[in-house]
Amino acid sequence: MASNFLRLRKPYYVESTINCSSSSDQKPVNLSFGINETRNQTKKRQAKEHHGRRSCLDSCCWVTGYLCTTWWLLLFLYHCCLPFTVGHEVPELMPAARLKREGLKGIHPVVLVPGIVTGGLELWEGKPCADGLFRKRLWGGGGFTQLLKRPLCWLEHLSLHNETGLDPPGIRVRPVPGLFGADYSAPGYFVWDVLVKNLAKIGYEGKNLHMAAYDWRLSFQNTEVRDCALSKLKSKIELMYRANGNKKVVVVPHSMGVAYFLHFLKWVETPPPMGGGGGPGWCAEHIKAIVNIGPSFLGVPKAVSNILSAEGKDVAYFRAMAPGVLDSGTLGLRALEHVMRVSRTWDSVVSLMPKGGETIWGNMDWSPEDEHVCEFSKKRYFRFSPSDNNVNNSDAKQVFRVKDPVKYGRIISFGKAASVLHSSQLPTTVLKEILHMSASRNFNSSCGEAWTEYDEMSRESIRKIGAADKAYTATTLFDLLHFVAPKMMNRAEAHFSHGIADNLEDPKYNHYKYWSNPLEMKLPDAPNMEIYCSYGVGIPTERSNVYKLSPSNKCKHIPYQIDTLVDEEDGSCLKSGVYFADGDESVPVLSAGFMCAKGWKGRTRFNPSGINTYVREYQSKPPTSGIKSTAHVDIMGNIALIEDKLRVAAGATGEEIGGDKIYSDILRMSERINLQL
Amino acid sequence: MSFLRRRKGTDSSKSQNLRCNIVKEDEKNNLYESPRKESYNSKKWSCWDSCCWFIGFVCSVWWFLLLLYNTMPASIPQYVTEAIKGPLTDPPGVKLRKEGLTVNHPVVFVPGIVTGGLELWEGHQCAEGLFRKRLWGGSFGELYKRPLCWAQHMSLDNETGLDPPGIRVRPVSGLVAADYFAAGYFVWAVLIANLAQIGYEEKTMYMAAYDWRLSFQNTEVRDQTLSRIKSNIELMVATNGGKKVVVIPHSMGVLYFLHFMKWVEAPPPMGGGGGSEWCAKHIKAVMNIGGPFLGVPKSVSGLFSVEARDIAIARTFAPGFLDKDVFGLQTFQHLMRMTRTWDSTMSMIPKGGETIWGGLDWSPEGSSFNCGAKTLRNNSINNTDQIPNINLANMKNVNYGRIISFGKDVAEAHSSKIERVDLLDSMKADMLANLTNCDIWIEYHDIGDHRIKAVADYKVYTAGSILDLLHFVSPKLMARGGAHFSYGIADNLDDPKYQHYKYWSNPLETKLPDAPDMEIYSMYGVGIPTERAYVYKVTTATDCSIPFQIDTSAEGGSEDSCLKGGVFSADGDETVPVLSAGLMAAKGWRGKTRFNPSGIPAYIREYSHAPPANLLEGRGTQSGAHVDIMGNFALIEDVIRVAAGATGKELGGDHVYSDIFKWAERINLQL
């Protein structure tokens, strides 16, 4: 019966289909006959028609599916093969494995102090736009995905209050505590992880390894005021000291953590309420050694360009290449302005400004690095032999010195001329005059709501400052910054100082704002303590910048930018508006090594008890990545450095690991610096 | 069919469509074949291509939906919920912030057993690449990837109860240790979020994470955990202007904190040397959530045969599955070997013996619990008295005192009718270890068949004789545990032997600290049938299996029976019976007693269980279950009020649904 019926019906159906398809776009009319076979036929036909038009959607699906499948297959294979490949890498990655075989065992508890931007931050209370992010990371880890999802909200929550430098009302962002705080700043980007792994190999674990996470946006004293971070650190160190059989701790600060820990050293011995009330002798009792990594003792010039125009070297390139993208891209309107607005609320940035003024960083015509040669690649070649000393290399240097020394002292110069000419040829208008002239600031109301402090300055004074042929040294720099960012500087000056003390006995130096400046504080009375300055050398590092007025004169624009067009022939220190010197990519050798090489060497007025200091430099070797890298952050994975640290943690003294190890000109540079000791 | 095709062919040839002609030609070969312009790859488009197409399609749709979901404003789920349920009540944190409550006393969380995360610090070759990855908690991914390796790393040393050589597994520290047990399964997260609403943050909250596998004193020996907690509490009190802390222990954390309070005041080297005033100076209140003060019967079955009610049922349904699957061969044996190295499980063996838990024919609960349990919900204090009267007709007296009985008939018969062979006699009997070739060693293999028979012949075990039983079947485990825990009742608390740490976690053998201003809360859920006693049988399986197992065929007669699947249930929070959670606060510590010489006020706060009304509520805001109670709004509100400075009186004092006071009267405990 059914087949009969089918036979009768089928022709009709087919006809209609054909009719339709010939007239329109072959869309079969959906006639349901309630017979399975007919429907199958329809389906087949439909499928056939689909094949006819498989061009776009189906192909897409097919390609996606194909890619996915291949990807999964590869992933599967990778996971299967992983155990075998890992097995080969391990001995190389793990100096600890070798040291453990030598019988090394962790004795002293270890405290890690992370630097700026490497610590994670998480949200505890936020505006409605941050709904559902409670205790999720805003910084580090997966936090940066939020930047892409809700950029403005993200920036708002990372800002601090403009007046107090503390939380803005209704927003609480707190550091991620514990070892989770800084071990992965972003996924796959190790900061402390390699070190922690190695420490664990020789027996470290939660009870004798502590990560002193703190909110790196705040000024150091404010971390205590808001989060009791310094008290926590003190109690942790005391606990670890007691719980591990009265073994003193080894502290490993990195980058800005170095300055933070200097602050802690003073804070802990100062009586309350300003200090921690540990009493004199606390450091001597509890601390064995401070192994500073990539220390920014005397600040970094990068911080200046950051404050002035939110530019690092990398950003400057980018800005020149694609002016449109950053200026109007991601953040709806202007990325740099937003970044500047946020980062200017962070007091800690100010702690990184160059300290010691012209005495340390050089003046208009002189700088301690005068003999520096910029041919990094060749220099590396000549200085490769580990047994090198300065005599051998001075010959080599003569060859490559082409002309007058670079005037590193001029940290900011407007126009290339200003960075090269002799100081007598520069115009003499001082900043003070401009300041005086524009004492009555005419508020530029045409821009509406002020975004950055630049909007509150008159166009004229901006132009005056940025007029060509002006240069600023580490001392006059502060006048400039006071002028362009008065609020920030006022706020921050209550927390940081950047000078050199004439008389350290002056009671004013008991104030906490001097505690993080090694040139204005005395080291604690702890003759058995040791201080290491470990840092990478051989990588070009920003030392001074050439600026220009930004071409666009619109509102809400940063009026200055690094002049990336300024360049010189190969072998010059000047590249894209930035003068480079030796360093670890972020911190110049001068800042990292000077205190250990000279300021604290022996018994000086900064180091009255004669704490032993050691300079440990790590030469950059190509390829500059992975386990031999010496760049500012990557150095945390440098095996030579890790080995040194493990030995110190296992009880070795600085003499036992080989004392000073110097590749750079730091000793000669320090000689040239005329600092009263 | 040939007719059909021909007809179609001619029909289509009538139309002037060129394509259709091509179709016709192709159809002669294959009905499904594609038109010619793609015919070069048409043969591949059969299976492989369809698969690709399908996967691609699914992926694309999935991504598209994901994109939609992510771009959707976060408030939409709330709209949906409100549309279905009507306006939501504010979470307690928001509500109390509106009332003006702010951060006051620092808060310390003490997590319980199994809820804290554990991570690997040093391991064998097979655990390569897992450094500082969670072995316990999180996704448990490693359990599935390399089960034997996992079990090996989670085990402790069989002799010392500390790390086995070459393996270091350590507790995760910080709030992340126990905020979520597994992804999406909250433990402390809801409480933390609500506390944060009134201003709490990292500096005023502290998670006292410890390795819950170790005996309490060993956490100090190995990790200095107790010292850390002491130092952290001192720090929080100092940095918050001398405000005392509110401690919130959960589950086994309750016992851990009891231990801590004794430890901190005891002089070194055994104790922390805080001096006799330490607790008075540093602690405002101890808010115990679901505290197994007097142990839980579940732990007995756990030790005896690695079974809880849930597993027992699974074991009968699919005996092959659990026994053979995950661990390659014998899941239970592996599990038993692993859990038996954990000293902490022994901290929860029922304490107080027959005095507390009942003898052969007597138990404090008697017949008063209605195991049907449906009517118990939402009743108030007033009508609890009436329930037994209503149900008395169809309720028999359940012999809860017999924690383990072999056979259902034994469990229900009167004690005079049970023939028992004395266990001690058979213990003296010659011990013939039958050296079987089992891959996995458990202590049962050393025992020998006739001893197993002897165990079964003794028939009934009360809370007192259960210890003999455990000593009998697993002497090594109990010898190790006996050095760290004690389960008795002290006759004379001033006896100097009670200064030993093994008594510190037993509330019946310690005195509370001298801190009259401190407060102790017992907060727990009621209204859920909770394991209280078991019916066992001897398995007939092969040599290498565990010889005992819960007799899941033992069922009570009626719907309301307390016996289900071999387990007698009583009132409780699904894990801890009311008796264990409430007795100390209801009687042992009430007023000035010998256990509480300074008269610390003790309050009982019960939370009647109500299951989540619908799926959107997740695990419910009125749940009374052991872990889910951490999301109970009423409990959270109580905690926040106390943290913000309220006293127990201001909260409303006792809040009781169960018959705990009546039971407490029946217990003859010298005070």
Side-chain angles (χ1 to χ4, degrees):
Chain A
M1 247 338 257
S3 60
N4 273 344
F5 179 68
L6 181 82
R7 257 173 225 170
L8 285 175
R9 284 299 196 181
K10 197 68 198 174
Y12 166 69
Y13 161 63
V14 172
E15 246 169 16
S16 76
T17 315
I18 297 297
N19 285 342
C20 287
S21 63
S22 56
S23 61
S24 69
D25 193 23
Q26 304 140 356
K27 217 166 196 171
V29 180
N30 197 359
L31 299 169
S32 100
F33 294 108
I35 297 168
N36 283 342
E37 213 163 334
T38 321
R39 223 184 244 166
N40 279 347
Q41 204 72 20
T42 323
K43 268 190 192 153
K44 281 167 198 165
R45 184 132 192 116
Q46 271 177 336
K48 195 163 53 189
E49 304 288 13
H50 270 298
H51 289 199
R53 307 180 299 141
R54 216 180 68 194
S55 48
C56 182
L57 192 68
D58 288 354
S59 303
C60 279
C61 281
W62 185 84
V63 168
T64 338
Y66 185 72
L67 288 179
C68 283
T69 321
T70 321
W71 174 249
W72 286 330
L73 195 72
L74 289 177
L75 211 68
F76 179 72
L77 282 178
Y78 173 75
H79 275 291
C80 287
C81 300
L82 193 63
F84 303 104
T85 50
V86 163
H88 295 296
E89 286 170 22
V90 165
E92 205 182 351
L93 262 174
M94 288 282 187
R98 181 164 44 84
L99 296 176
K100 195 184 176 190
R101 262 177 267 129
E102 285 177 23
L104 217 63
K105 242 179 113 38
I107 294 174
H108 297 276
V110 171
V111 174
L112 310 173
V113 186
I116 195 167
V117 308
T118 49
L121 299 173
E122 60 186 15
L123 185 75
W124 278 83
E125 185 182 343
K127 297 270 160 70
C129 71
D131 252 351
L133 291 183
F134 176 68
R135 288 190 55 223
K136 295 271 186 314
R137 288 211 179 180
L138 289 187
W139 188 278
F144 298 114
T145 53
Q146 296 303 328
L147 166 63
L148 298 176
K149 271 197 203 162
R150 25 193 156 184
L152 285 173
C153 183
W154 184 78
L155 283 171
E156 186 189 356
H157 283 82
L158 277 179
S159 309
L160 292 170
H161 195 266
N162 211 10
E163 312 263 313
T164 60
L166 294 169
D167 287 329
I171 292 177
R172 282 185 292 151
V173 173
R174 296 288 177 268
V176 180
L179 281 172
F180 290 99
D183 55 355
Y184 282 94
S185 165
Y189 188 71
F190 68 96
V191 180
W192 293 95
D193 197 57
V194 178
L195 178 58
V196 172
K197 258 186 193 149
N198 278 289
L199 285 169
K201 266 268 185 304
I202 60 166
Y204 281 93
E205 56 190 58
K207 69 174 169 184
N208 46 16
L209 180 62
H210 174 65
M211 173 78 74
Y214 59 98
D215 190 336
W216 44 262
R217 301 170 304 159
L218 298 182
S219 75
F220 302 153
Q221 191 68 11
N222 273 345
T223 62
E224 169 67 12
V225 170
R226 200 193 70 180
D227 296 339
C228 307
L230 296 172
S231 303
K232 262 191 212 173
L233 182 54
K234 172 169 175 262
S235 126
K236 252 286 124 46
I237 290 179
E238 285 169 354
L239 171 70
M240 292 210 296
Y241 171 74
R242 260 184 286 119
N244 289 286
N246 293 359
K247 287 272 181 297
K248 296 186 204 174
V249 302
V250 171
V251 184
V252 184
H254 173 234
S255 183
M256 192 180 80
V258 166
Y260 187 72
F261 199 73
L262 274 186
H263 187 92
F264 174 79
L265 286 182
K266 292 300 283 183
W267 174 87
V268 76
E269 300 206 335
T270 308
M274 203 191 275
W282 192 94
C283 296
E285 195 188 334
H286 291 93
I287 299 176
K288 173 188 188 284
I290 304 174
V291 188
N292 300 299
I293 304 175
S296 54
F297 279 119
L298 302 176
V300 284
K302 220 178 196 173
V304 180
S305 58
N306 235 315
I307 294 175
L308 199 61
S309 63
E311 286 178 305
K313 177 185 60 182
D314 326 316
V315 179
Y317 277 129
F318 195 55
R319 200 175 172 189
M321 300 263 278
V325 177
L326 263 186
D327 285 356
S328 61
T330 332
L331 301 180
L333 273 168
R334 297 177 193 86
L336 278 182
E337 279 78 356
H338 278 286
V339 169
M340 171 176 255
R341 203 156 72 112
V342 171
S343 63
R344 277 202 182 173
T345 64
W346 297 345
D347 286 346
S348 59
V349 177
V350 180
S351 78
L352 290 173
M353 300 258 290
K355 291 163 194 165
E358 295 183 2
T359 318
I360 302 289
W361 293 92
N363 58 18
M364 299 294 266
D365 294 316
W366 167 90
S367 80
E369 283 117 324
D370 273 350
E371 284 181 17
H372 179 64
V373 185
C374 294
E375 197 73 16
F376 280 99
S377 51
K378 289 190 179 135
K379 179 181 155 188
R380 200 179 292 131
Y381 176 72
F382 275 98
R383 322 188 104 249
F384 194 72
S385 58
S387 62
D388 79 313
N389 53 38
N390 298 327
V391 189
N392 283 346
N393 286 296
S394 51
D395 300 340
K397 237 176 282 168
Q398 296 301 328
V399 181
F400 290 100
R401 240 176 96 194
V402 254
K403 48 185 162 193
D404 283 347
V406 179
K407 296 185 169 54
Y408 283 123
R410 306 172 184 183
I411 289 183
I412 300 281
S413 20
F414 284 96
K416 189 187 165 191
S419 71
V420 183
L421 289 173
H422 193 265
S423 61
S424 57
Q425 290 163 285
L426 290 174
T428 48
T429 28
V430 208
L431 195 66
K432 296 260 162 57
E433 289 170 36
I434 305 173
L435 279 173
H436 188 72
M437 179 197 72
S438 59
S440 59
R441 286 180 169 187
N442 39 346
F443 182 71
N444 198 349
S445 58
S446 60
C447 285
E449 186 202 358
W451 278 42
T452 58
E453 286 183 286
Y454 281 124
D455 295 330
E456 292 172 22
M457 294 165 58
S458 72
R459 289 285 126 187
E460 201 186 342
S461 50
I462 286 175
R463 228 172 295 122
K464 273 260 167 58
I465 290 170
D469 304 344
K470 276 213 185 54
Y472 299 92
T473 65
T475 306
T476 52
L477 190 69
F478 283 92
D479 297 331
L480 172 68
L481 289 177
H482 262 294
F483 186 70
V484 299
K487 278 190 199 158
M488 173 188 193
M489 292 307 285
N490 285 339
R491 202 179 63 227
E493 297 265 289
H495 288 284
F496 299 105
S497 167
H498 300 87
I500 298 179
D502 291 329
N503 174 18
L504 278 166
E505 304 302 327
D506 192 331
K508 80 168 181 174
Y509 288 115
N510 290 333
H511 191 270
Y512 60 78
K513 77 178 196 179
Y514 300 103
W515 290 347
S516 60
N517 182 355
L519 299 172
E520 290 179 306
M521 53 93 77
K522 282 190 279 187
L523 285 180
D525 179 21
N528 291 323
M529 208 167 93
E530 291 176 328
I531 294 181
Y532 297 80
C533 293
S534 327
Y535 52 89
V537 294
I539 304 178
T541 307
E542 284 175 66
R543 178 65 173 79
S544 58
N545 296 310
V546 179
Y547 264 85
K548 68 172 181 194
L549 267 177
S550 161
S552 90
N553 203 15
K554 280 178 286 181
C555 293
K556 296 174 181 177
H557 235 273
I558 298 171
Y560 310 113
Q561 71 183 53
I562 293 176
D563 192 351
T564 43
L565 297 177
V566 175
D567 230 325
E568 270 177 25
E569 71 274 21
D570 285 349
S572 151
C573 292
L574 179 61
K575 278 214 181 70
S576 309
V578 180
Y579 283 99
F580 291 101
D582 199 4
D584 69 358
E585 205 165 22
S586 288
V587 183
V589 168
L590 184 66
S591 170
F594 175 74
M595 289 316 289
C596 285
K598 184 168 182 185
W600 289 332
K601 201 85 191 169
R603 234 176 243 274
T604 67
R605 66 189 179 112
F606 301 110
N607 180 9
S609 61
I611 295 170
N612 284 327
T613 60
Y614 301 97
V615 179
R616 306 280 297 175
E617 293 186 346
Y618 300 90
Q619 175 83 38
S620 161
K621 295 174 191 171
T624 55
S625 67
I627 53 171
K628 295 211 170 103
S629 172
T630 61
H632 190 58
V633 172
D634 294 346
I635 198 173
M636 310 284 291
N638 184 302
I639 47 172
L641 176 122
I642 288 177
E643 186 176 333
D644 284 351
K645 274 183 293 194
L646 294 180
R647 287 190 188 281
V648 172
T653 63
E655 291 302 330
E656 285 164 19
I657 62 169
D660 288 346
K661 195 170 77 172
I662 298 175
Y663 296 101
S664 71
D665 293 335
I666 181 67
L667 290 178
R668 208 122 32 108
M669 286 183 211
S670 334
E671 263 169 45
R672 271 187 228 121
I673 292 172
N674 180 25
L675 181 69
Q676 180 211 337
L677 293 176
Chain B
M1 281 309 281
S2 62
F3 166 73
L4 182 89
R5 206 179 289 163
R6 208 178 305 129
R7 272 302 293 269
K8 206 205 284 179
T10 37
D11 274 339
S12 57
S13 70
K14 277 178 195 163
S15 72
Q16 298 303 307
N17 196 329
L18 184 68
R19 237 177 48 74
C20 286
N21 285 329
I22 297 163
V23 171
K24 181 193 118 195
E25 284 168 24
D26 284 337
E27 270 176 353
K28 281 175 185 165
N29 301 324
N30 189 339
L31 191 67
Y32 307 142
E33 210 164 326
S34 309
R36 177 176 285 167
K37 64 175 176 181
E38 285 181 23
S39 61
Y40 56 89
N41 66 357
S42 60
K43 284 201 177 97
K44 288 183 218 156
W45 183 271
S46 47
C47 175
W48 171 239
D49 288 352
S50 307
C51 279
C52 279
W53 183 87
F54 182 70
I55 293 171
F57 183 71
V58 170
C59 282
S60 309
V61 171
W62 174 250
W63 288 329
F64 181 67
L65 288 178
L66 211 68
L67 183 80
L68 279 184
Y69 177 78
N70 277 328
T71 48
M72 183 175 70
S75 50
I76 280 194
Q78 202 186 331
Y79 287 139
V80 175
T81 321
E82 278 184 19
I84 296 172
K85 284 191 64 191
L88 285 175
T89 48
D90 275 340
V94 177
K95 183 179 128 195
L96 295 175
R97 184 172 58 175
K98 283 179 193 151
E99 282 181 25
L101 262 57
T102 53
V103 48
N104 194 350
H105 295 276
V107 168
V108 177
F109 307 116
V110 188
I113 197 168
V114 310
T115 49
L118 298 173
E119 60 186 14
L120 183 76
W121 278 82
E122 185 182 341
H124 289 307
Q125 200 67 41
C126 70
E128 200 68 65
L130 292 182
F131 176 69
R132 288 192 55 224
K133 297 274 185 308
R134 282 198 184 198
L135 288 188
W136 189 271
S139 64
F140 284 97
E142 298 311 322
L143 168 62
Y144 298 106
K145 274 195 208 156
R146 27 196 154 180
L148 284 173
C149 182
W150 181 83
Q152 183 191 9
H153 283 81
M154 285 299 296
S155 301
L156 293 171
D157 189 282
N158 208 16
E159 308 275 316
T160 59
L162 293 169
D163 287 330
I167 293 178
R168 281 184 296 149
V169 173
R170 295 287 177 268
V172 178
S173 65
L175 291 177
V176 286
D179 53 352
Y180 289 95
F181 173 56
Y185 191 86
F186 71 83
V187 181
W188 293 92
V190 178
L191 186 57
I192 291 171
N194 278 293
L195 281 167
Q197 286 285 351
I198 67 163
Y200 278 89
E201 55 190 57
E202 205 75 49
K203 70 170 170 179
T204 41
M205 278 196 272
Y206 169 61
M207 178 76 76
Y210 58 98
D211 189 336
W212 45 262
R213 300 171 305 160
L214 298 183
S215 75
F216 302 155
Q217 191 68 10
N218 272 345
T219 62
E220 171 66 13
V221 170
R222 198 192 71 181
D223 298 340
Q224 281 93 42
T225 310
L226 296 171
S227 301
R228 264 203 243 185
I229 296 174
K230 173 171 176 257
S231 140
N232 263 304
I233 291 180
E234 283 167 356
L235 172 71
M236 288 209 294
V237 171
T239 53
N240 286 288
K243 296 257 171 58
K244 295 187 223 170
V245 299
V246 171
V247 185
I248 309 174
H250 173 235
S251 183
M252 193 180 79
V254 167
L255 302 175
Y256 190 70
F257 199 72
L258 273 184
H259 187 94
F260 173 80
M261 284 197 289
K262 292 300 286 184
W263 173 87
V264 76
E265 300 202 336
M270 204 190 274
S276 62
E277 300 234 296
W278 196 93
C279 290
K281 270 186 204 152
H282 291 91
I283 302 176
K284 175 189 188 289
V286 183
M287 308 191 76
N288 303 298
I289 301 177
F293 283 108
L294 303 175
V296 284
K298 216 179 199 173
S299 70
V300 175
S301 67
L303 283 171
F304 194 53
S305 65
V306 221
E307 285 177 308
R309 185 177 48 186
D310 325 322
I311 298 178
I313 291 168
R315 200 177 171 188
T316 36
F317 274 127
F321 171 71
L322 265 183
D323 283 349
K324 293 229 172 63
D325 205 35
V326 186
F327 287 97
L329 270 169
Q330 291 119 327
T331 319
F332 276 102
Q333 284 79 343
H334 275 286
L335 272 182
M336 176 173 250
R337 200 159 70 125
M338 183 172 81
T339 52
R340 280 211 176 167
T341 64
W342 297 347
D343 287 346
S344 62
T345 50
M346 281 177 282
S347 72
M348 293 195 294
I349 292 172
K351 291 164 193 166
E354 300 188 3
T355 319
I356 303 291
W357 293 92
L360 285 173
D361 294 311
W362 165 91
S363 76
E365 284 105 331
S367 62
S368 62
F369 178 58
N370 171 22
C371 297
K374 295 214 172 66
T375 51
L376 210 78
R377 195 172 302 138
N378 296 330
N379 54 5
S380 68
I381 312 163
N382 301 333
N383 64 12
T384 38
D385 294 334
Q386 295 155 18
I387 287 175
N389 302 334
I390 298 165
N391 292 300
L392 211 56
N394 57 8
M395 281 182 79
K396 276 188 296 181
N397 199 6
V398 180
N399 294 318
Y400 283 124
R402 308 173 186 179
I403 291 185
I404 289 186
S405 6
F406 280 89
K408 187 191 163 194
D409 45 341
V410 178
E412 284 168 358
H414 192 267
S415 61
S416 56
K417 292 176 195 157
I418 304 173
E419 275 178 42
R420 298 166 80 188
V421 179
D422 198 356
L423 196 62
L424 290 173
D425 288 347
S426 47
M427 244 173 146
K428 284 177 207 145
D430 173 25
M431 184 169 157
L432 275 171
N434 55 342
L435 295 166
T436 45
N437 300 320
C438 295
D439 306 337
I440 314 135
W441 180 88
I442 51 175
E443 279 185 288
Y444 278 125
H445 302 151
D446 287 351
I447 296 175
D449 285 339
H450 71 283
R451 297 192 103 191
I452 290 168
K453 188 167 172 297
V455 166
D457 282 346
Y458 191 60
K459 293 215 164 66
V460 175
Y461 298 88
T462 64
S465 51
I466 216 101
L467 290 173
D468 297 332
L469 171 66
L470 289 174
H471 267 294
F472 187 68
V473 298
S474 52
K476 281 191 193 158
L477 173 85
M478 292 306 288
R480 210 176 61 227
H484 287 287
F485 301 105
S486 167
Y487 313 102
I489 300 179
D491 293 327
N492 174 17
L493 275 166
D494 293 323
D495 191 331
K497 80 166 181 176
Y498 288 115
Q499 281 162 18
H500 191 268
Y501 60 76
K502 76 178 194 178
Y503 300 104
W504 289 347
S505 61
N506 181 355
L508 297 172
E509 291 179 308
T510 50
K511 285 189 272 191
L512 286 181
D514 178 23
D517 292 335
M518 206 171 97
E519 289 174 329
I520 291 185
Y521 296 81
S522 278
M523 316 165 86
Y524 52 89
V526 295
I528 308 180
T530 306
E531 291 168 60
R532 177 70 173 76
Y534 300 91
V535 178
Y536 263 88
K537 67 175 180 195
V538 178
T539 50
T540 49
T542 52
D543 287 343
C544 291
S545 61
I546 298 164
F548 307 108
Q549 108 178 31
I550 294 176
D551 185 2
T552 43
S553 63
E555 292 281 353
S558 65
E559 181 93 336
D560 282 352
S561 166
C562 288
L563 178 62
K564 276 214 181 74
V567 178
F568 285 101
S569 302
D571 198 4
D573 68 357
E574 207 166 18
T575 300
V576 183
V578 167
L579 186 67
S580 173
L583 183 72
M584 288 317 288
K587 183 166 185 181
W589 291 333
R590 183 118 321 204
K592 254 187 221 281
T593 67
R594 65 189 180 113
F595 302 111
N596 181 8
S598 61
I600 297 172
Y603 301 98
I604 296 183
R605 307 283 296 173
E606 291 186 348
Y607 302 91
S608 182
H609 175 74
N614 55 41
L615 272 178
L616 283 169
E617 235 181 39
R619 286 156 63 201
T621 56
Q622 298 172 59
S623 176
H626 191 59
V627 174
D628 293 352
I629 199 174
M630 310 287 283
N632 185 312
F633 278 6
L635 176 132
I636 292 173
E637 191 179 326
D638 285 351
V639 169
I640 293 180
R641 282 190 193 280
V642 172
T647 62
K649 284 261 150 45
E650 288 161 18
L651 276 190
D654 292 335
H655 188 72
V656 178
Y657 294 105
S658 71
D659 295 335
I660 181 68
F661 282 113
K662 235 196 282 178
W663 299 342
E665 269 170 41
R666 283 194 214 128
I667 289 172
N668 180 23
L669 182 68
Q670 179 211 337
L671 293 175

